[in-house]
Amino acid sequence: MVSVINTVDTSHEDMIHDAQMDYYGTRLATCSSDRTVKIFDVRNGGQILVADLRGHEGPVWQVAWAHPMFGNILASCSYDRKVIVWKEENGAWDKMYEYTGHESSVNSVCWGPYEFGLILACGSSDGAISLLTFTGDQQWDVKKISNAHTIGCNAVSWAPAVVPGSLIDQPSGQKPNYVKRFVSGGCDNLVKLWKEEDGQWKEDQKLEAHSDWVRDVGWAPSIGLPTSTIASCSQDGRVFIWTCDDPAGNTWTTKLLHKFNDVVWHVSWSITGNILAVSGGDNKVTLWKESMDGQWACISDVSKGQGAVSTITDTQQNEQRRSQCQTRSNYRKQTEEEKSEAGDFNFYLNHFQ
Amino acid sequence: MAARWSSENVVVEFRDAQATAMSVDCLGSHAVLSGRRFLYMVNLEAPSEPPRKIGRQSKWDVGTVQWNPHKSESHVFAASSNQRVDLYSWRGGCGEVHTSLQGHTRVISDLDWSWFEPEFLVTSSVDTYIYIWDTRDTRKPTVALSAVAGASQVKWNKKNPNLLASSHDGDVRIWDRRKPNTAAEYLAAHLSKIHGLDWHPDNEFVLATSSQDNSVRFWDYRQPRKYLNILPCQVPVWKARYTPFSNGLVTVMVPQLRRENSLLLWSTLDLNSPVHAFVGHDDVVLEFRWRPQKEGSKDYQLVTWSRDQTLRIWRVDPQLQRLCVSDVVEDQMEDMSLTVESEKSLSSQEPESQHSVAAAAGNLQDSGGSLGSGARQDSVLGSGLPQTLQQEFSLVNLQIRNVNVEMDAVNCSCVVSAHFGSHQVHLVVKFPAQYPNNAAPTFQFVSPTTIPSAMRTKIQKILTDTSLQKVKRNQNCLEPCVRQLVSCLESDMTQEDGPPSGPFVLSNPVTPALQAFPRVTNTYGSYQDANIPFPRTSGARFCGTGCLMYFTRPITMHRSAPPTEPTPRSLSALSAYHSGVLTPMKMRSESQSTLRLYSGSPTRSDKDTVSISSFYYKERKSRRFKTKREGADYGNRPIKLAGKVIIQEISCLLAVHKALGESYILNVNDIQDTCQQNAASALAVGRRDVAKVWALASAATNQDLSPDSDPDTETPWARHPFGRHLLETLLDHYSRMSDVQTLAMLCSVFRTQAPPPDCYSLYGHQPSRSTMSPPQHSRYPSYTSGSLTSGSCSSTSDSITTTTWNPGRDSDHVNPWGESSPDDGRYGNPGYTDPREREREQHDMNKRLLDPANTLQFDDFKKCYGEILYRWGLREKRADVLKFASCPPEPHKGIEFGLYCCHCRSQARGTQCAVCKRLTFQCAICHVAVRGSSNFCLSCGHGGHTSHMMDWFRQQDECPTGCGCHCLLQSTF
């Protein structure tokens, strides 16, 4: 059963904007409007503050862990237009690189798959996307896609390192010929796919469906199936799932996951790419799962302090459970409000039926 | 401040009106005052007459009222009331509602009649929509502009019938009604809510915004990132509107203590001080409108309505109007010190262009303001030239370190003094009378200039050139010249002083160094950027393999805005929530009038730093808790702004199980046992479906079903419906479930089962792949090892390569490969030399349970599962699985020989010609086609079987063909 294994009190002085755990799930990095990034060791339910990284001069929007084969490396981006790459050396965290090439707030950072080396994509409100590649010896190669999104870029997410069309007819005998691809979302209401060709980044696809700013995009991890999947969410409250079965990656079909009542800020894929966590301005977290017949259904609802309410299905049983949830959460609110801060997590659809 | 007190005005008191809005009709004959119970019609010709009334039945105040500005429809006016707009017609002394426009779902914040089409009306609402109505069809709006954020103001452009501007908190959006989907432009105009918006009467591109942030800003919407000019005020500005005469602007402030309820008239050319104050109202001025000019009269009349329930009419005579035109600048020029000037320039980044706009507007006004002159005006705007020297002086931006410019407009000259290190430069610039119309100024160095004379001459020449270039185009040249001077001095001084000291040594205290504009202005906390997304305050992420990490807004922080309103999208929305505990919710509960008037205009200090948390209303914990826990201490505790980060174990939702990862085994030697044990493991974690799959796998891998090596005996089990087909169905099922664990394990188990259990074959050559795709290792048959260094070239034919790669291969596979070139497959030649071989190969394919066509996909399953095992820390298990992944050998890198077929002369690769299908070359010695290892001379290109060549060159050093090439010398064999 789903259980809370840890509750970390970050002691940030202002609101938290992002949190992410490392590859092994042993460390948690958080960032906040208080301009700091904190790293906690959360093994065995503990919470030990490992580092309090100061260096940003504005609210820090997002953090991203690099693959551990490169060491313990964390990237953060901020309103102060900077991207900072932090590295742990001999137990001490320090700045490894600071990138100041953006002219407005940097809203999103994402490390590429380890197969590509240490490569970071950064999306900024100046409309540009930067790709920072570590070339060894303290050197970083910077490539910039100017005007990737008019008005601003809000999110970037890398495609898993799969050879395009590989699973069907890969020219054998060659080293896998990975093509670097990522997806971005911006204030032009567009989701755009980018591809590297001969060292140059080119716009590959433009996906239109949202009617307002795209706030987050997530490229689903691959388990070896030839389908590519992308989730995008927007200010318009909609979450779309984009899929592409075409090995050339040209034909994308879209499916509306759900229309929420408020802005959706974040989408995150599970490791097997079949569960999507959605969170937004309504202060709720919902989990969505694709059923065997390709339909998306809400399998959970994490809502904080507002009681667990969900209106996905209308069966009697669920109705009952929901009311139970509400009464329980109300009761809890009154008795141990500290705990209710931790939220309720109710599953009412058993996913293995 | 050249304030002249207007003596003549009309004051009429309407004690009971309680009007919230006012409008003047286009004929200038009537003003309508809208109270809650009545609309009062004031005859402006005889304002003291008792007003006529139109009764209304509504519990809502009138939000906005506006007369139709077209003469043909001058009897029509629109009044908004909550979500509805009523269109009244006023004829013959009585009026009535003739129609209503209903469509908005929330209160209407503003409305505006089109300047071009008398039927068109635009309305904006808190419901985030802006509707354009055709009053002839009132059922629904003709155009709906979706802004997502609620609008506070909407105004038609006065020159372009398709353009609209709307304000949303601190942003302005420019709309083209033909493209209703998105705004044509965004201006991140203000830090706080915009109260007033007004288009320039003559310039299509220019508008003025007034805001809670104590400023009026002027914009050219084509340059959305920079305002043209700013009018800083001490208090929030309620409205700022252009005057109907040129270069004027009237502002209404939100007074701090309701004392100075005056309207100020400004010249847009000089925003340092107002040119006039209309003093008289005792309370907040709610609305002001210009009464259209009477024919023959040069006066304008300003009609104002205040909360003191008086209507006043102010006369603005031509003298006052002229104050707004440029001669004011001249008057004030003399006493305008440079320090003031520089401060002003600091606050306004684009003084020059602002000026040109204003000047251009002035021009236009003089020329009658016809539509056709818009283009000319634009061109003037584009060139950006001030008209006179005085204007240039007042607007020049000379924020240059160590440089001081004293300007003397009267004598048409200025003195530029600069200090660079130990050098001083004083330069007198004299401007001729015609300047800048093709008349360049003169430059003269005066004492105590300390630079050498050679340099003086050089600089003088540069300056003259620069100025000539500019004045040829009738542009002024002071600023370019001064900058040129600085860069000259800078480069020369750097040469002279050497790099370390640098030109800008701040040693001279005489002229305090003015800091140039910092690249990053210190705007943290100002959140002025409209294109930065509103920060996330909650989020959820899957981490590691089975964790869901999430954080949400703390329970104690509530949205200030009601939950029905969507969270704003842009960070600039924060400016409206400047100081913590905020009002929107309270305001909504108050009466409509307070909402509309001065909504968000409470005169609080905005000193608190803005943070995202300002958007949320912090709820003090209720008393109930206080008494229950911790007592008095509770109230003092600071409210936590950061919520907790919660980590959930959600692996039960995933199809992969760590427990299974640990207990699964892969024993190559006993597949049956592997399957049975794995079935038990699956059962132990409750995956009954997987347990059954393992049972099936056990059955399918039974020795009884193992295929016969002879293709003729029977159809292999793989061709049976329960063979490959069953497995494919299973894989498909678990693919849909994203159960990569089961997928990878099945692939591994059946991988071991398929070929004879020979360990090497797992890594080595898979014959079956060659038909699906060319075999990797034989792609470059003339692979030469170390040929680069040795200079010799040895070609290895395929049979050798194949055997090298497959040391442990079954004997019955080796023979056919030795006989036929694998290039057959590559070059699309289906002609097997031996049909039996093809059959055998076919059989080899057929007897596999896993479709060899999908080997790569199966490998991906294993790699992906391996990655998950790695995250779980099960590295040995990962190695177990990855052992079963096929690993294609490294591709060949190095020199490859190109060949011309000896029969058909076409270019060929490898030992067989793609065109004539014959073996491509013959040994120079035995004249037999070469298939195996061969060597060639790099010089003459002759060669043959390696053994023959070795023998030949043991005794000889010339080419065996007799071509005369000394092969051994030319290229060492």
Side-chain angles (χ1 to χ4, degrees):
Chain A
M1 190 53 203
V2 169
S3 55
V4 174
I5 52 174
N6 206 338
T7 304
V8 182
D9 186 355
T10 58
S11 312
H12 275 296
E13 288 158 25
D14 208 332
M15 300 188 87
I16 299 174
H17 298 309
D18 194 24
Q20 208 183 102
M21 280 162 91
D22 70 354
Y23 182 85
Y24 302 105
T26 55
R27 296 203 218 198
L28 175 76
T30 58
C31 62
S32 154
S33 260
D34 68 5
R35 304 172 182 197
T36 63
V37 174
K38 292 186 182 187
I39 299 172
F40 297 89
D41 188 328
V42 292
R43 264 177 292 192
N44 307 322
Q47 59 171 90
I48 303 154
L49 181 65
V50 176
D52 186 351
L53 308 176
R54 288 165 194 270
H56 280 296
E57 296 161 58
V60 188
W61 299 141
Q62 205 172 43
V63 287
W65 288 94
H67 193 274
M69 72 184 276
F70 304 106
N72 288 323
I73 292 175
L74 185 76
S76 59
C77 62
S78 159
Y79 178 76
D80 68 1
R81 307 163 184 202
K82 285 194 279 194
V83 174
I84 300 183
V85 179
W86 312 85
K87 184 168 190 182
E88 187 190 42
E89 304 241 36
N90 308 321
W93 283 88
D94 214 344
K95 257 185 221 180
M96 177 187 183
Y97 178 58
E98 186 173 302
Y99 175 65
T100 53
H102 281 293
E103 280 148 33
S104 186
S105 162
V106 185
N107 303 318
S108 182
V109 282
C110 184
W111 290 104
Y114 69 88
E115 289 91 338
F116 304 152
L118 203 53
I119 180 166
L120 184 73
C122 322
S124 161
S125 282
D126 65 6
I129 297 171
S130 294
L131 291 132
L132 316 177
T133 314
F134 185 64
T135 52
D137 195 29
Q138 310 294 315
Q139 293 298 309
W140 290 77
D141 173 58
V142 177
K143 281 203 181 105
K144 199 163 171 182
I145 309 173
S146 307
N147 206 17
H149 287 275
T150 40
I151 312 181
C153 173
N154 298 338
V156 283
S157 174
W158 283 87
V162 196
V163 184
S166 68
L167 311 165
I168 296 115
D169 54 349
Q170 190 194 357
S172 60
Q174 312 230 339
K175 263 275 182 191
N177 186 19
Y178 295 122
V179 173
K180 291 180 190 146
R181 290 200 292 171
F182 69 87
V183 59
S184 65
C187 300
D188 50 7
N189 308 353
L190 292 175
V191 173
K192 286 188 180 177
L193 305 185
W194 304 88
K195 187 155 104 182
E196 195 188 45
E197 274 173 18
D198 312 320
Q200 295 299 312
W201 284 95
K202 290 187 180 135
E203 187 183 310
D204 190 30
Q205 287 286 311
K206 197 187 274 182
L207 309 180
E208 280 179 80
H210 288 293
S211 59
D212 208 335
W213 292 8
V214 178
R215 286 305 306 266
D216 198 14
V217 285
W219 201 310
S222 162
I223 60 160
L225 297 170
T227 311
S228 300
T229 309
I230 292 170
S232 65
C233 63
S234 155
Q235 182 75 27
D236 64 13
R238 292 188 177 89
V239 176
F240 283 107
I241 307 291
W242 305 86
T243 49
C244 174
D245 300 320
D246 167 17
N250 291 327
T251 44
W252 291 82
T253 51
T254 177
K255 187 181 273 180
L256 178 67
L257 180 98
H258 189 61
K259 162 96 170 66
F260 293 84
N261 290 326
D262 203 346
V263 45
V264 182
W265 281 327
H266 198 65
V267 284
S268 173
W269 289 102
S270 70
I271 190 159
T272 49
N274 62 332
I275 303 179
L276 186 71
V278 179
S279 57
D282 56 4
N283 212 27
K284 286 182 182 178
V285 175
T286 46
L287 300 187
W288 298 78
K289 185 168 177 174
E290 191 179 15
S291 64
M292 299 288 283
D293 56 351
Q295 295 303 308
W296 288 89
C298 181
I299 54 165
S300 81
D301 190 342
V302 185
S303 61
K304 170 93 116 41
Q306 299 171 358
V309 183
S310 181
T311 49
I312 309 304
T313 52
D314 292 314
T315 62
Q316 198 84 44
Q317 194 185 10
N318 282 330
E319 208 70 59
Q320 257 176 10
R321 288 197 193 180
R322 197 187 312 162
S323 57
Q324 280 168 7
C325 291
Q326 272 175 325
T327 42
R328 197 173 62 225
S329 70
N330 286 341
Y331 169 71
R332 213 180 270 172
K333 250 188 192 169
Q334 289 172 1
T335 51
E336 24 175 4
E337 44 93 36
E338 273 295 326
K339 200 157 193 180
S340 79
E341 228 170 79
D344 294 317
F345 207 120
N346 294 285
F347 290 82
Y348 50 80
L349 287 180
N350 185 347
H351 84 124
F352 291 127
Q353 64 246 346
Chain B
M1 181 177 119
R4 275 173 235 188
W5 305 96
S6 52
S7 51
E8 189 179 330
N9 65 48
V10 178
V11 186
V12 196
E13 191 168 0
F14 297 97
R15 181 124 314 270
D16 307 319
Q18 298 298 321
T20 51
M22 186 270 289
S23 181
V24 176
D25 75 347
C26 69
L27 303 171
S29 52
H30 289 97
V32 61
L33 294 170
S34 54
R36 187 173 291 181
R37 289 173 53 225
F38 295 102
L39 300 174
Y40 299 86
M41 205 57 67
V42 181
N43 184 353
L44 293 175
E45 300 298 339
S48 46
E49 278 179 14
R52 304 189 183 232
K53 294 180 190 173
I54 306 172
R56 60 188 289 272
Q57 301 293 325
S58 176
K59 58 176 179 171
W60 308 106
D61 275 321
V62 171
T64 315
V65 64
Q66 197 182 63
W67 283 94
N68 193 310
H70 298 270
K71 288 226 161 66
S72 61
E73 296 281 318
S74 62
H75 57 284
V76 176
F77 65 89
S80 74
S81 167
N82 196 24
Q83 306 169 5
R84 200 181 69 217
V85 174
D86 293 323
L87 298 179
Y88 289 84
S89 61
W90 175 256
R91 279 181 214 264
C94 56
E96 56 178 1
V97 180
H98 68 82
T99 185
S100 291
L101 310 175
Q102 286 185 317
H104 283 293
T105 55
R106 301 277 304 274
V107 63
I108 291 168
S109 53
D110 197 16
L111 59 85
D112 197 30
W113 287 98
S114 168
W115 295 90
F116 294 89
E117 293 143 300
E119 296 86 14
F120 281 83
L121 178 75
V122 65
T123 56
S124 68
S125 164
V126 184
D127 69 7
T128 76
Y129 284 97
I130 294 164
Y131 289 146
I132 299 173
W133 304 85
D134 184 336
T135 54
R136 292 165 296 194
D137 175 14
T138 56
R139 286 167 300 174
K140 61 180 175 60
T142 53
V143 180
L145 311 172
S146 170
V148 182
S152 55
Q153 289 271 292
V154 65
K155 294 286 179 264
W156 289 97
N157 190 300
K158 293 171 188 169
K159 286 289 156 200
N160 183 334
N162 291 315
L163 278 187
L164 292 154
S166 63
S167 67
H168 310 261
D169 289 324
D171 307 348
V172 172
R173 286 170 213 205
I174 310 294
W175 303 86
D176 186 324
R177 68 168 176 187
R178 293 164 297 188
K179 297 174 204 150
N181 292 337
T182 47
E185 198 60 71
Y186 292 85
L187 310 179
H190 285 274
L191 309 183
S192 305
K193 184 175 168 134
I194 295 170
H195 296 308
L197 187 67
D198 196 32
W199 285 97
H200 194 283
D202 301 304
N203 188 326
E204 181 186 340
F205 306 106
V206 175
L207 67 157
T209 54
S210 54
S211 159
Q212 179 68 18
D213 69 0
N214 304 357
S215 69
V216 177
R217 293 181 191 194
F218 302 89
W219 301 87
D220 182 329
Y221 72 77
R222 294 167 301 179
Q223 300 163 12
R225 288 178 191 267
K226 269 185 279 180
Y227 50 80
L228 297 171
N229 208 349
I230 184 168
L231 166 58
C233 303
Q234 302 302 312
V235 290
V237 190
W238 177 234
K239 285 285 181 298
R241 291 198 191 122
Y242 289 102
T243 54
F245 47 90
S246 55
N247 301 336
L249 182 85
V250 172
T251 60
V252 173
M253 310 289 182
V254 180
Q256 287 283 6
L257 299 163
R258 293 195 173 182
R259 265 187 221 131
E260 299 149 38
N261 299 297
S262 48
L263 297 108
L264 297 176
L265 176 65
W266 304 77
S267 161
T268 52
L269 302 180
D270 171 27
L271 297 170
N272 285 325
S273 57
V275 295
H276 185 81
F278 301 96
V279 181
H281 279 299
D282 300 328
D283 206 337
V284 179
V285 176
L286 297 178
E287 186 58 282
F288 63 94
R289 292 284 171 185
W290 289 93
R291 188 176 173 194
Q293 223 168 352
K294 282 261 170 309
E295 241 173 278
S297 162
K298 284 182 177 152
D299 291 354
Y300 282 91
Q301 287 184 330
L302 183 64
V303 183
T304 62
W305 172 253
S306 156
R307 202 178 270 170
D308 64 10
Q309 307 302 317
T310 57
L311 180 93
R312 287 170 192 251
I313 303 173
W314 316 77
R315 195 167 65 90
V316 181
D317 57 26
Q319 210 182 354
L320 198 53
Q321 294 168 28
R322 261 202 304 280
L323 282 173
C324 298
V325 200
S326 54
D327 53 357
V328 163
V329 182
E330 279 174 65
D331 293 343
Q332 299 191 335
M333 197 55 227
E334 278 119 1
D335 53 6
M336 193 187 291
S337 74
L338 185 70
T339 46
V340 171
E341 187 53 44
S342 50
E343 276 165 20
K344 185 190 149 201
S345 310
L346 260 177
S347 59
S348 62
Q349 303 194 349
E350 282 272 90
E352 205 170 334
S353 65
Q354 188 277 330
H355 173 84
S356 62
V357 168
N363 270 354
L364 193 69
Q365 196 69 27
D366 295 342
S367 68
S370 72
L371 254 175
S373 58
R376 194 202 67 182
Q377 174 194 347
D378 195 17
S379 68
V380 175
L381 183 77
S383 63
L385 59 145
Q387 300 288 299
T388 66
L389 185 59
Q390 286 82 358
Q391 287 168 9
E392 184 185 358
F393 280 0
S394 66
L395 294 163
V396 72
N397 177 15
L398 289 172
Q399 306 304 318
I400 307 166
R401 271 179 154 187
N402 300 347
V403 175
N404 196 6
V405 185
E406 287 164 31
M407 289 175 274
D408 184 351
V410 177
N411 297 322
C412 295
S413 70
C414 72
V415 180
V416 180
S417 45
H419 304 261
F420 285 90
S422 54
H423 289 286
Q424 285 192 29
V425 176
H426 284 255
L427 182 73
V428 173
V429 188
K430 282 205 157 69
F431 298 90
Q434 299 93 335
Y435 173 85
N437 298 320
N438 209 5
T442 57
F443 302 91
Q444 195 183 1
F445 287 101
V446 295
S447 64
T449 303
T450 56
I451 55 170
S453 58
M455 203 156 111
R456 287 188 199 194
T457 334
K458 187 180 143 199
I459 291 176
Q460 217 153 11
K461 185 175 177 333
I462 291 171
L463 291 179
T464 314
D465 287 351
T466 312
S467 61
L468 273 173
Q469 267 180 13
K470 289 280 172 189
V471 297
K472 256 186 210 163
R473 279 173 273 152
N474 299 345
Q475 293 174 350
N476 34 40
C477 62
L478 176 59
E479 187 177 333
C481 286
V482 174
R483 294 198 182 272
Q484 197 72 48
L485 170 74
V486 170
S487 68
C488 281
L489 290 169
E490 194 178 318
S491 59
D492 284 356
M493 293 303 162
T494 318
Q495 284 166 10
E496 203 173 277
D497 299 351
S501 62
F504 292 140
V505 185
L506 298 174
S507 55
N508 200 324
V510 180
T511 43
L514 273 169
Q515 209 191 343
F517 294 113
R519 193 182 80 87
V520 180
T521 44
N522 191 21
T523 50
Y524 313 129
S526 68
Y527 292 107
Q528 61 183 340
D529 313 68
N531 50 357
I532 296 178
F534 194 82
R536 301 167 177 147
T537 54
S538 66
R541 246 183 222 278
F542 285 103
C543 298
T545 45
C547 283
L548 177 72
M549 176 283 320
Y550 67 91
F551 61 95
T552 44
R553 197 172 67 228
I555 187 174
T556 45
M557 309 241 324
H558 291 288
R559 288 265 302 271
S560 310
T564 47
E565 206 157 288
T567 312
R569 76 177 177 186
S570 151
L571 195 55
S572 59
L574 272 188
S575 54
Y577 299 89
H578 233 208
S579 68
V581 185
L582 231 256
T583 36
M585 202 143 64
K586 286 183 203 154
M587 274 172 6
R588 272 187 193 89
S589 59
E590 282 170 37
S591 77
Q592 284 288 318
S593 64
T594 26
L595 168 67
R596 226 199 75 72
L597 303 172
Y598 303 145
S599 60
S601 68
T603 53
R604 34 190 173 76
S605 66
D606 292 336
K607 296 293 177 279
D608 331 31
T609 49
V610 182
S611 158
I612 167 66
S613 47
S614 319
F615 178 69
Y616 297 101
Y617 169 66
K618 280 156 247 155
E619 183 191 64
R620 287 276 154 194
K621 303 205 170 172
S622 71
R623 181 162 284 171
R624 187 175 49 194
F625 298 124
K626 219 163 154 184
T627 48
K628 265 189 187 162
R629 330 158 116 243
E630 291 166 66
D633 178 43
Y634 220 92
N636 302 330
R637 216 170 72 173
I639 289 173
K640 271 189 191 154
L641 298 176
K644 287 180 176 161
V645 178
I646 292 146
I647 302 164
Q648 295 257 12
E649 168 69 40
I650 49 98
S651 47
C652 67
L653 294 178
L654 298 176
V656 293
H657 302 267
K658 191 177 177 183
L660 280 185
E662 282 165 354
S663 54
Y664 272 162
I665 57 163
L666 267 175
N667 184 356
V668 187
N669 299 321
D670 193 347
I671 295 295
Q672 290 287 301
D673 180 55
T674 305
C675 292
Q676 279 152 19
Q677 286 201 34
N678 289 348
S681 307
L683 208 54
V685 298
R687 284 295 297 270
R688 281 181 302 174
D689 61 326
V690 181
K692 278 280 173 279
V693 168
W694 282 117
L696 282 172
S698 164
T701 51
N702 196 305
Q703 284 297 324
D704 304 342
L705 298 174
S706 61
D708 202 295
S709 60
D710 184 354
D712 297 330
T713 48
E714 56 174 359
T715 313
W717 178 248
R719 309 298 290 173
H720 192 271
F722 280 0
R724 189 184 287 180
H725 182 71
L726 174 76
L727 190 56
E728 273 171 3
T729 318
L730 281 175
L731 292 179
D732 186 50
H733 175 83
Y734 286 102
S735 293
R736 283 167 195 271
M737 275 181 67
S738 298
D739 186 352
V740 72
Q741 188 169 34
T742 308
L743 289 172
M745 290 305 288
L746 283 179
C747 291
S748 301
V749 165
F750 285 98
R751 180 68 186 261
T752 61
Q753 184 266 340
D758 179 336
C759 205
Y760 275 104
S761 67
L762 296 173
Y763 301 99
H765 175 63
Q766 291 296 323
S768 60
R769 295 185 66 149
S770 63
T771 44
M772 304 315 294
S773 52
Q776 297 88 18
H777 57 270
S778 58
R779 182 157 190 133
Y780 304 102
S782 50
Y783 168 65
T784 57
S785 60
S787 64
L788 269 177
T789 47
S790 71
S792 83
C793 41
S794 68
S795 173
T796 321
S797 104
D798 304 293
S799 53
I800 297 169
T801 330
T802 328
T803 42
T804 332
W805 277 101
N806 300 276
R809 180 112 75 81
D810 289 28
S811 55
D812 58 282
H813 284 300
V814 176
N815 289 338
W817 283 107
E819 281 159 25
S820 111
S821 161
D823 290 341
D824 288 349
R826 179 146 48 92
Y827 294 116
N829 180 6
Y832 283 84
T833 43
D834 183 358
R836 279 188 59 223
E837 188 228 331
R838 187 171 64 180
E839 194 181 313
R840 189 169 287 133
E841 176 144 327
Q842 198 69 45
H843 176 64
D844 189 59
M845 300 268 305
N846 287 345
K847 68 188 186 185
R848 290 153 169 274
L849 281 171
L850 280 174
D851 188 352
N854 294 332
T855 313
L856 284 165
Q857 171 158 22
F858 303 147
D859 285 348
D860 276 352
F861 290 148
K862 288 168 213 161
K863 282 178 197 158
C864 178
Y865 182 46
E867 186 80 8
I868 292 175
L869 287 171
Y870 190 69
R871 285 183 190 244
W872 280 336
L874 305 172
R875 296 183 194 184
E876 281 156 28
K877 296 284 180 191
R878 172 171 175 263
D880 275 347
V881 172
L882 290 186
K883 259 200 300 204
F884 294 95
S886 62
C887 55
E890 286 281 319
H892 164 69
K893 278 180 196 150
I895 290 180
E896 187 186 350
F897 274 87
L899 294 169
Y900 289 99
C901 173
C902 64
H903 304 288
C904 66
R905 292 285 143 200
S906 59
Q907 209 163 1
R909 285 173 83 197
T911 53
Q912 193 181 30
C913 174
V915 178
C916 65
K917 310 297 180 201
R918 289 152 83 176
L919 293 171
T920 44
F921 57 91
Q922 293 177 342
C923 174
I925 292 169
C926 67
H927 291 270
V928 171
V930 182
R931 210 193 268 279
S933 175
S934 58
N935 283 73
F936 292 90
C937 168
L938 285 176
S939 174
C940 66
H942 295 125
H945 293 110
T946 305
S947 54
H948 294 163
M949 288 295 136
M950 295 269 280
D951 286 345
W952 175 265
F953 284 109
R954 216 162 267 154
Q955 282 104 37
Q956 308 289 330
D957 58 356
E958 275 194 28
C959 179
T961 57
C963 70
C965 173
H966 294 270
C967 298
L968 275 189
L969 298 173
Q970 298 290 336
S971 61
T972 48
F973 261 102

